[in-house]
Amino acid sequence: MSASTSWKDPLTSAGFTGDLVTPPDADYDSALVRFAKNAQKKAGLVAFVKSPQDVSLVIKYATANNIPLVIRGGGHSTYGTSSTDGGIVIDLSRHLTSVRIDEAKRIGYVGGGANWAAVDAEAIKYGLATVGGTVNHTGVGGLSLGGGYGWLTGEHGLTIDNLVQVTIVTSDGSILTVNETTNSDLFWGIRGGGSNFGCVTEFVYRLHPQRSHVFAGPLIFPVPRIAEVAAATEEWYSNASDKEGLMLITTNKGPMGGPALLVIVFFNGEEDEGKQRFKGLFDLGPVMSLASTIPYENLNALQNDNVKYNQNYHLTGSTRASLPPDVAKTVFDKLLETANSPSEADLQMVLIWEYHILKRLASVSPDATAFPMRVQRPLTVMLVTWTGDDSQLTADAKKRLDVIKAFSDEALGPAFEEKGGKTELDTGYSNTEIGNPKSEHVARAIFGPNYPRLQQLKKKYDPDMVFKAWYPIVPATTA
């Protein structure tokens, strides 16, 4: 009997009610599957928990026996922060996936292992919605605890700005209700501080009235028109309302197999008005328009086919002050050069210039939550996917992604300087996995001016750093 197999009996005897999966079990391989295939690791035990009490038992057992511990919600980390070599995974995705809507109070109660597809589908039945992930097979947990940008950010801010309560199990096994009045210090910390303080088994969200259908979809343009498309996009953005959003997407390998340029538009209203709002882009004459009136619950599925689960991925990102047309072209050219240089793998690189409306986000004080980046800096997301499991191919893909990020950041530097330069609030967005999410040094940068306060919370709720898989906060050493 392996050591990990022997972990089952003590947990079962202690009252664990979920499923305990170890290497000999038939469902072991499927229990390891993640969004990023390259991030999968051979866990010693996967604990599919059914309750906060189950989570508490696993935490107490793991800490008593010095067993590494990670949490899996949606499993979207490309760095493997929800996987472990030989340790224990607390997996919320099998049983803690319920979504319950209180229509009268406009509140949603969501299991820690649910994904955004489930939230969107259930809430819209009542004419309600909240800010969710723009790829709806993303889990609620990582997005919510890291900040949470979405199509509704213009109207309602970040996901954390719509979080009213969580149930969390901390490093000593305590099961806590956390909100503005109960354990309010921890409520501050989990809104942006990620999984540093425990395992959240339930999220409670504020919901908002939402129309049943919206105008959204991709406009496809000839690749050589990238500068014109960028110029039209920036012009639109300067006057956009809170009900709008856009993603300008470039890739070396689109649906037809070659380079592609597309813009996904979104308007939370009628189609005729939506087309008028994006008139500058429509006037350029896209070669194809697939933007139309769609059910709201389909909005966050628009990108799903391009980011399928269980493929090889590396992810990174940055922020920007603006996107000058010449920079858009230069960066696209560099992406094509980098992605198309010789490789033994079938490799695709994607760069997404996100245009969420950020006035409401920036209206919140940077010290109101642990999330400090309360500035109107649009996100840029960079992704590479490739075939083959060889470690050299994985390293090569990561190197290419790093080249694009460095090139893009340098090219966008002058635009920052024109607007006064970066400040201490230009920390970057943790959920785009900037730098190394396992690095404490990077954590200091991500949390910026809020890091010392987070260190105090870490000292209080997780002094032994049980939870250290994602931008680990080092506990304060002084009172």
Side-chain angles (χ1 to χ4, degrees), residues 43-60:
L45 171 72
V46 181
F48 288 102
V49 294
K50 286 187 173 181
S51 66
Q53 289 74 25
D54 277 352
V55 175
S56 179
L57 287 173
V58 174
I59 291 173
K60 289 177 179 178

Side-chain angles (χ1 to χ4, degrees), residues 35 76 134-137 217-218 220 247 249-258 260-264 290 299-315 348-352 381-386:
F35 168 68
H76 259 247
T134 57
V135 173
N136 71 9
H137 53 66
I220 301 170
M247 293 188 185
I249 302 173
T250 58
T251 179
N252 71 304
K253 191 171 293 185
M256 304 302 292
L261 166 63
L262 63 148
V263 177
I264 298 177
L290 300 175
L299 174 64
N300 287 326
L302 287 174
Q303 298 185 84
N304 284 10
D305 287 345
N306 301 317
V307 279
K308 294 179 180 178
Y309 214 87
N310 198 221
Q311 296 184 359
N312 291 323
Y313 294 104
H314 285 309
L315 173 72
Q348 180 191 26
M349 299 190 75
V350 182
L351 191 149
I352 305 173
V381 178
M382 306 164 202
L383 185 74
V384 60
T385 182
W386 68 98

Side-chain angles (χ1 to χ4, degrees), residues 126-392:
Y126 303 88
L128 299 169
T130 194
V131 182
T134 57
V135 173
N136 71 9
H137 53 66
T138 304
V140 299
L143 188 89
S144 298
L145 298 175
Y149 290 74
W151 290 116
L152 299 183
T153 286
E155 293 183 79
H156 309 305
L158 294 172
T159 305
I160 55 172
D161 299 330
N162 297 277
L163 188 60
V164 296
Q165 180 173 290
V166 303
T167 301
I168 188 170
V169 188
T170 55
S171 64
D172 64 355
S174 297
I175 301 170
L176 303 178
T177 298
V178 177
N179 54 42
E180 287 282 11
T181 58
T182 304
N183 300 303
S184 59
D185 59 343
L186 189 52
F187 189 55
W188 179 89
I190 56 111
R191 288 177 292 165
S195 56
N196 267 288
F197 304 106
C199 177
V200 175
T201 58
E202 183 181 67
F203 294 88
V204 183
Y205 299 102
R206 183 182 301 107
L207 306 177
H208 307 275
Q210 172 59 45
R211 59 186 295 119
S212 62
H213 288 72
V214 300
F215 175 66
L219 311 179
I220 301 170
F221 293 91
V223 167
R225 302 194 72 181
I226 175 63
E228 297 170 81
V229 171
T233 297
E234 287 285 311
E235 176 63 24
W236 157 81
Y237 197 50
S238 66
N239 297 294
S241 73
D242 292 347
K243 293 181 177 293
E244 300 167 56
L246 181 155
M247 293 188 185
L248 196 169
I249 302 173
T250 58
T251 179
N252 71 304
K253 191 171 293 185
M256 304 302 292
L261 166 63
L262 63 148
V263 177
I264 298 177
V265 298
F266 161 69
F267 174 60
N268 201 359
E270 297 290 340
E271 181 168 336
D272 288 346
E273 185 177 355
K275 288 181 176 179
Q276 190 61 35
R277 301 267 181 155
F278 295 104
K279 184 176 184 301
L281 285 160
F282 278 98
D283 285 350
L284 289 178
V287 295
M288 185 180 296
S289 171
L290 300 175
S292 63
T293 299
I294 63 171
Y296 171 78
E297 61 270 27
N298 293 349
L299 174 64
N300 287 326
L302 287 174
Q303 298 185 84
N304 284 10
D305 287 345
N306 301 317
V307 279
K308 294 179 180 178
Y309 214 87
N310 198 221
Q311 296 184 359
N312 291 323
Y313 294 104
H314 285 309
L315 173 72
T316 190
S318 61
T319 61
R320 63 189 187 278
S322 66
L323 178 59
D326 61 324
V327 173
K329 182 183 186 308
T330 301
V331 173
F332 194 7
D333 288 345
K334 184 66 174 180
L335 182 144
L336 296 178
E337 173 192 318
T338 305
N340 293 334
S341 63
S343 171
E344 296 181 13
D346 184 11
L347 184 142
Q348 180 191 26
M349 299 190 75
V350 182
L351 191 149
I352 305 173
W353 306 100
E354 294 190 354
Y355 285 87
H356 298 304
I357 312 305
L358 304 176
K359 297 184 186 71
R360 187 171 294 274
L361 172 158
S363 70
V364 178
S365 172
D367 61 359
T369 65
F371 183 89
M373 199 174 66
R374 298 292 183 166
V375 288
Q376 296 189 55
R377 306 294 201 198
L379 302 180
T380 306
V381 178
M382 306 164 202
L383 185 74
V384 60
T385 182
W386 68 98
T387 57
D389 298 329
D390 184 270
S391 60
Q392 290 186 336

Side-chain angles (χ1 to χ4, degrees), residues 2-55:
S2 68
S4 62
T5 303
S6 70
W7 297 345
K8 283 186 174 183
D9 288 344
L11 285 166
T12 302
S13 298
F16 186 86
T17 63
D19 312 318
L20 298 170
V21 178
T22 55
D25 295 319
D27 57 345
Y28 176 73
D29 287 341
S30 64
L32 303 180
V33 171
R34 298 293 186 266
F35 168 68
K37 186 178 179 182
N38 52 296
Q40 294 171 185
K41 300 174 185 177
K42 297 288 188 179
L45 171 72
V46 181
F48 288 102
V49 294
K50 286 187 173 181
S51 66
Q53 289 74 25
D54 277 352
V55 175

